[in-house]
């Protein structure tokens, strides 16, 4: 192999070692039917060790080469090696991959080979047979020396390009002037580090991760420029949602322990804890501490109805007067005080539909700020209060955006994938989650011989919204395995999967089958509105079956003919029956969240937006019968004469139950249970009630990154 080929194509080559293939340009480790991401620094350490397999490389040498002398206390190297060991399944006590040489450094134990992509080799070398496509670490000495002379330039090029790719991995447009430089990865430990919260001056970071010793979810605190981590709390129960006080001296967080939930405060450096207020054990998502330190803003969900905002005194924990225009059909969540404390921003709507709203801290009418009707995964105010940074998937991929408070104008920041942004109140820093998750479809056999099956239609992407065809032989689902989320079809008989849509910038939700299995309808959302699209599977032809005035949240086939859609174009979501995009819609019910049809009887069932259970739609004049008080308005299906839904086990918070309620006899039974992480809204049951298809979260290695930004000069 010519040495110049290596120097020119290093970012497109595959490093083979320890039974795995490392795509260095994509920061991925391939093997065992799965692909795992590596951080750019972990790849840099791996490449440095691979320069001289079997040779000890000192810690100082690795820090100088990979971090260019900007590694703080050096613990970042330890974390990078831990990440490599985790991905390659190495054991510290009996290493087969990387050996720690006490008080000196590390050495690579595995043999190294480079695999040249066939297409690139054909372009750069005309000799197809004589040239070597794979070079081993045990190659002749002259070739090895030539290779090593090229390593320094290649590694430098790789690290620069890989880190730039990490910064804007899926963003199409360059970042605007308000974002300065590439992100700095703050965490890279195994497992997920979530909900980053920067101290007011931007020098420290609080976040949530599993404590390796207690195996509990705990609040961690570390400096932005150093990796030493401390635990400020006592470590009891499960901790979440850290929030800094306005002066940065204290941290508040949520603690769930046994049957109790509390808002707790503690000194940021550790000390005596104080339970400030009880919190609802139901729906709860984030809270905030007022800049003057006197109040908490929370979302309460204490019973029937929807979550609403509430203010609580920090001293005494008593509710404070706060009357505002709450929509009884929508949940209000995640309140955030503005920097001056005069306004509260919050999210209205549950996943996958939400928008940002504003309300004065003393109450009054809420003003809608965005009109996206999309998944919003976190937001925070800019330091001057002129705008809000938020994460949304309305463009197809979860990315960061800015919305101006004055006119509601939304602009992309060019950072993706990203979620849960947090802005330092007095600094020019923004922390956010870098999602590294994977969800797969899994089959389960129900009944007396219940057993979990394997992964369905495996890939390296993530899948959701899996729905079985009427005969159970095919599966419609949404997946990003092709690069962007699209509607896919898996044919079990033919053992093949293929995309049914190719629309970048659109979101696809809730596919549904026709009774004959020849067509599929799917909710397609773009530009803040939804439409119901029907796809003929024989011809692949697509047509919109809803009109432009209807904002479709969910749609399915109606009994006999036509379609049922949940429309959010008015003040409250309503259920409509439509024949086509040209025909007038027939209103059926108001205040509706989701709808389903029993294939056996043709009866229509729906859940109410205010959470008041699943009901059977009766003829005019008859009161709709409540079938079951399902806690999640979207996590249910009607199949084979029964209502199927997921519910938490009241005696075991870590266990999820699949329940079956007979529509005729009212029988209620648990048919399956799991302690694994599953998306309880994305499942289906076969027509014979013997098979369950669900979406399981197989990996969550979410990390936290930091961005510096410039003040807006407009």
């Amino acid at each position: 192999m010519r040495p110049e080929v290596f120097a020119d194509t290093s970012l497109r080559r595959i490093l083979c070692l320890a039974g795995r293939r490392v795509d260095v340009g994509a920061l991925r480790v391939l093997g065992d039917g799965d692909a795992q991401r590596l951080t750019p620094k972990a790849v840099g350490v791996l490449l440095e060790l691979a320069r001289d397999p079997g040779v000890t490389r000192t810690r100082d040498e690795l820090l100088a080469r990979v971090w260019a002398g900007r590694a703080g206390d050096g613990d970042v190297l330890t974390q990078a090696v831990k990440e490599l060991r985790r991905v390659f399944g190495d054991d510290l006590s009996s290493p087969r991959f990387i050996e720690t040489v006490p008080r000196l450094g590390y050495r690579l134990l595995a043999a190294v080979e480079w695999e040249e992509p066939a297409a690139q080799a054909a372009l750069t070398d005309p000799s197809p047979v004589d040239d070597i496509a794979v070079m081993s670490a045990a190659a002749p000495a002259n070739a090895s020396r030539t290779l090593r002379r090229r390593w320094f330039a290649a590694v430098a090029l790789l690290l620069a390009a890989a880190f730039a790719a990490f910064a804007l991995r899926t963003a199409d447009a360059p970042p605007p002037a308000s974002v300065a430089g590439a992100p700095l990865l703050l965490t890279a430990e195994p497992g997920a580090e979530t909900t980053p919260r920067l101290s007011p001056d931007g020098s420290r970071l609080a976040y949530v991760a599993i404590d390796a010793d207690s195996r509990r979810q705990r609040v961690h605190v570390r400096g932005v420029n150093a990796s030493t981590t401390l635990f400020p709390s006592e470590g009891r129960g499960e901790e979440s949602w850290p929030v800094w006080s306005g002066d940065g001296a204290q941290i508040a967080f949520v603690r769930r322990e046994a049957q109790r939930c509390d808002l707790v405060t503690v000194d940021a450096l550790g000390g005596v804890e104080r339970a400030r207020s009880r919190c609802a054990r139901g729906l709860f998502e984030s809270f905030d501490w007022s800049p003057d330190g006197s109040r908490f803003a929370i979302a309460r969900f204490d019973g029937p109805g929807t979550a609403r905002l509430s203010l609580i005194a920090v001293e005494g924990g008593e509710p404070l007067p706060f009357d505002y225009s709450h929509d009884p059909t929508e949940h209000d969540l995640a309140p955030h005080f503005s920097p001056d404390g005069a306004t509260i921003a919050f999210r209205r709507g549950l996943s996958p539909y939400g928008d940002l709203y504003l309300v004065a801290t003393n109450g009054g009418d809420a003003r809608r700020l965005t009109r996206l009707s999309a998944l919003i995964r976190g937001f925070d105010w800019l330091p001057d209060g002129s705008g809000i940074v938020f994460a949304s998937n309305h463009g197809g991929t979860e990315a960061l955006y800015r919305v101006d408070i004055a006119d509601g104008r939304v602009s992309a920041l060019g950072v993706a994938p990203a979620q849960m942004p947090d802005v330092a109140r007095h600094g020019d820093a923004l922390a956010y989650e870098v999602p590294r998750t994977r969800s797969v479809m899994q089959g389960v056999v129900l009944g007396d011989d219940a057993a979990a099956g394997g992964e369905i239609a495996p890939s390296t992407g993530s899948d959701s919204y899996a729905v079985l065809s009427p005969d159970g032989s095919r599966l419609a689902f949404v997946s990003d395995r092709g690069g962007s989320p699209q509607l896919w079809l898996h044919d079990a008989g033919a053992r093949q999967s293929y995309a049914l849509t190719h629309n970048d910038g659109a979101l696809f939700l809730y596919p549904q089958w026709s009774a004959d299995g020849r067509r599929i309808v799917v909710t397609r959302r773009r530009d803040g509105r939804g439409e119901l699209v029907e796809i003929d599977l024989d011809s692949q032809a697509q047509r919109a079956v809803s009109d432009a005035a209807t904002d479709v949240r969910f749609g399915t086939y109606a009994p006999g003919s036509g379609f049922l859609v949940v429309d959010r174009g008015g003040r409250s979501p309503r259920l409509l029956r439509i024949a086509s995009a040209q025909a007038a819609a027939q209103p059926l019910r108001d205040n509706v969240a989701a709808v389903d049809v029993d294939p056996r009887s043709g009866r229509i069932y729906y859940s109410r937006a205010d959470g008041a259970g699943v009901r059977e739609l009766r003829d005019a004049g008859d009161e709709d019968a409540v079938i079951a008080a399902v806690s999640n308005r979207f996590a249910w299906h009607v199949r084979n004469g029964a209502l199927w839904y997921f519910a938490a086990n009241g005696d075991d918070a870590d266990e999820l139950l699949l329940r079956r309620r007979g529509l005729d006899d009212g029988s209620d039974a648990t048919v399956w249970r799991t302690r694994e992480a599953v998306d309880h809204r994305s499942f289906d049951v076969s027509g014979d009630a013997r098979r369950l298809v669900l979406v399981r979260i197989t990996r969550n290695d979410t990390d936290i990154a930091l961005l510096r930004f410039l003040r807006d000069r407009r």
Side-chain angles (χ1 to χ4, degrees):
M1 178 174 59
R2 294 185 179 128
E4 62 267 25
V5 174
F6 167 74
D8 291 341
T9 65
S10 59
L11 294 181
R12 295 186 292 276
R13 302 178 72 219
I14 304 296
L15 175 64
C16 303
L17 72 170
R20 302 289 184 92
R21 302 167 67 246
V22 182
D23 186 340
V24 294
L27 307 178
R28 294 191 306 171
V29 179
L30 312 173
D32 297 331
D34 195 3
Q36 299 187 63
R37 291 282 184 184
L38 284 172
T39 62
K41 297 302 185 185
V43 172
V45 172
L46 177 59
L47 291 176
E48 280 295 322
L49 294 175
R51 288 182 61 190
D52 297 286
V55 176
T56 299
R57 303 293 299 278
T58 68
R59 291 180 59 87
D60 290 342
E61 182 182 11
L62 291 171
L63 289 169
R65 296 291 289 270
V66 179
W67 280 268
R70 296 188 295 270
D73 61 4
D75 189 53
V76 289
L77 174 58
T78 303
Q79 299 304 322
V81 172
K82 284 183 179 179
E83 180 182 356
L84 291 171
R85 284 181 171 141
R86 173 183 60 81
V87 171
F88 283 86
D90 202 26
D91 186 356
L92 177 62
S93 59
S94 56
R96 295 175 294 103
F97 178 59
I98 295 178
E99 179 185 17
T100 299
V101 181
R103 295 189 297 275
L104 188 57
Y106 303 93
R107 71 185 184 108
L108 185 66
L109 302 179
V112 174
E113 293 182 344
W114 280 101
E115 177 181 307
E116 190 81 56
Q120 179 66 24
L123 288 174
T124 57
D125 194 343
S127 54
V129 178
D130 318 288
D131 211 1
I132 300 173
V134 177
M135 176 169 281
S136 169
N142 59 340
S144 179
R145 285 193 299 270
T146 302
L147 176 63
R148 292 177 186 179
R149 284 197 301 268
R150 305 284 180 169
W151 260 100
F152 181 78
V155 169
L157 174 64
L158 169 66
L159 291 177
F163 205 70
F166 162 76
L168 301 173
R169 188 173 298 147
T170 59
D172 295 325
S178 58
V179 175
L184 170 68
L185 201 62
L186 296 181
T187 67
E189 292 82 4
E193 298 88 45
T194 62
T195 55
R197 297 291 184 267
L198 287 167
S199 60
D201 64 359
S203 66
R204 290 169 292 167
L205 175 75
Y207 62 95
V208 172
I210 298 295
D211 173 28
D213 295 328
S214 67
R215 303 308 302 166
R216 291 194 180 100
Q217 187 172 276
R218 297 189 63 182
V219 173
H220 297 51
V221 176
R222 52 157 289 173
V224 168
N225 295 319
S227 58
T228 301
T229 302
L230 65 87
F231 302 104
S233 70
E234 298 173 2
R236 295 183 291 107
E238 300 289 329
E239 301 171 356
S240 60
W241 303 112
V243 179
W244 292 86
S245 61
D247 59 5
Q250 297 184 79
I251 293 176
F253 60 93
V254 175
R255 169 177 288 146
R256 298 184 186 275
E257 186 177 17
Q259 300 299 313
R260 185 181 178 92
C261 176
D262 291 294
L263 298 184
V264 180
T265 61
V266 66
D267 190 279
L269 298 178
V272 179
E273 297 181 355
R274 293 185 61 184
R276 298 289 187 169
S277 173
R278 295 292 298 271
C279 53
R281 287 196 56 83
L283 185 64
F284 189 93
E285 184 179 337
S286 185
F287 71 104
D288 202 13
W289 200 336
S290 63
D292 64 5
S294 65
R295 292 168 290 181
F296 292 130
I298 69 169
R300 282 199 179 277
F301 183 71
D302 298 322
T306 54
R308 60 181 298 137
L309 304 184
S310 176
L311 297 180
I312 297 175
V314 173
E315 296 295 336
E318 296 299 321
L320 299 174
F322 182 62
D323 186 20
Y324 76 106
S325 55
H326 171 63
D327 183 346
T329 68
E330 294 283 6
H331 290 281
D332 292 342
L333 302 164
H336 282 63
F337 286 103
S338 60
D340 62 4
T343 306
I344 297 174
F346 64 95
R347 191 189 84 228
R348 176 164 287 176
L350 288 178
S351 171
Y353 301 116
D355 274 297
L356 297 178
Y357 284 72
L358 302 175
V359 65
T361 308
N362 58 5
D365 291 335
R367 174 169 73 91
R368 187 173 183 176
L369 183 60
T370 65
R371 297 186 178 275
L372 302 173
S373 296
L375 177 67
I376 293 180
R377 288 279 292 154
F379 61 93
D380 198 13
W381 290 84
L382 290 172
D384 61 2
S386 65
I388 289 174
V389 175
F390 68 98
S392 173
N393 70 345
H394 68 274
T397 301
E398 284 187 298
L400 296 186
Y401 298 85
R402 168 188 169 145
V403 57
D404 289 343
I405 298 300
D407 56 14
R409 181 165 53 91
V410 174
S411 55
L413 296 183
V415 181
Q419 59 190 26
M420 302 301 294
D422 184 78
V423 181
R425 186 153 291 178
H426 305 302
D428 294 332
L430 180 152
Y432 63 94
E433 291 180 6
V434 182
R436 305 184 193 277
T437 60
R438 181 169 179 255
S439 56
V440 303
M441 298 180 294
Q442 181 181 7
V444 176
V445 177
L446 301 176
D448 296 335
D449 54 348
E455 182 179 343
I456 301 174
S459 76
T460 59
S462 286
D463 308 323
S464 60
Y465 299 112
V467 184
L468 285 163
S469 63
D471 64 0
S473 66
R474 291 168 296 169
L475 195 66
F477 61 100
V478 176
S479 178
D480 64 0
R481 60 183 61 196
S484 64
Q486 302 292 334
L487 179 65
W488 284 69
L489 183 71
H490 174 66
D491 190 323
R495 295 186 178 181
Q496 66 174 352
S497 303
Y498 56 90
L500 295 175
T501 62
H502 306 277
N503 304 116
D504 290 337
L507 293 175
F508 295 93
L509 308 167
Y510 307 117
Q512 302 288 309
W513 289 85
S514 63
D516 60 9
R518 300 180 61 182
R519 297 176 304 280
I520 293 174
V521 290
V522 64
T523 301
R524 180 174 66 190
R525 298 195 63 84
R526 52 188 176 186
D527 300 326
R529 296 192 66 82
E531 59 182 345
L532 191 64
V533 176
E534 184 179 49
I535 302 173
D536 182 272
L537 297 181
D538 292 331
S539 65
Q540 300 286 297
Q542 302 182 17
R543 68 182 182 112
V545 298
S546 59
D547 60 26
T550 304
D551 183 8
V552 177
R553 295 289 184 91
F554 179 90
T556 188
Y557 287 94
S561 63
F563 308 90
L564 298 170
V565 300
V566 176
D567 169 41
R568 196 58 174 91
R571 289 185 56 84
S572 68
R574 56 179 185 162
L575 178 61
L576 306 177
R577 183 165 189 159
I578 60 177
S580 68
Q582 293 74 38
Q586 175 191 358
L588 297 178
R589 294 292 186 273
D590 291 326
N591 196 22
V592 174
V595 61
D596 204 356
V597 177
D598 182 10
R600 189 183 66 174
S601 65
R603 288 181 290 188
I604 300 172
Y605 297 86
Y606 67 95
S607 58
R608 289 174 56 88
D610 59 11
V614 175
R615 304 180 177 219
E616 179 188 348
L617 192 146
R618 299 284 180 85
D619 294 333
D622 295 335
E623 183 178 356
D624 293 348
V626 178
I627 305 302
V630 178
S631 59
N632 191 298
R633 299 172 296 171
F634 305 101
W636 60 276
H637 286 296
V638 176
R639 298 288 186 271
N640 195 38
L643 173 70
W644 303 76
Y645 62 97
F646 274 105
N649 186 343
D651 299 324
D652 186 349
D654 295 327
E655 188 173 57
L656 198 61
L657 309 177
L658 178 63
R659 306 279 296 176
R660 179 192 181 278
R661 185 177 184 85
L663 297 177
D664 294 329
D665 58 12
S667 59
D668 201 349
T670 296
V671 295
W672 186 71
R673 59 184 69 213
T674 183
R675 302 176 71 85
E676 294 184 332
V678 301
D679 184 352
H680 58 284
R681 300 166 305 169
S682 184
F683 76 97
D684 198 14
V685 179
S686 62
D688 60 6
R690 291 282 298 152
R691 288 172 295 163
L692 166 70
V693 174
L694 52 83
V695 172
R696 182 168 60 91
I697 294 90
T698 62
R699 188 184 76 240
N700 187 352
D701 286 321
T702 295
D703 294 321
I704 296 172
L706 181 79
L707 271 176
R708 299 293 179 182
F709 63 91
L710 303 177
R711 300 280 184 175
D712 194 343
R713 306 300 183 188
R714 290 178 298 174

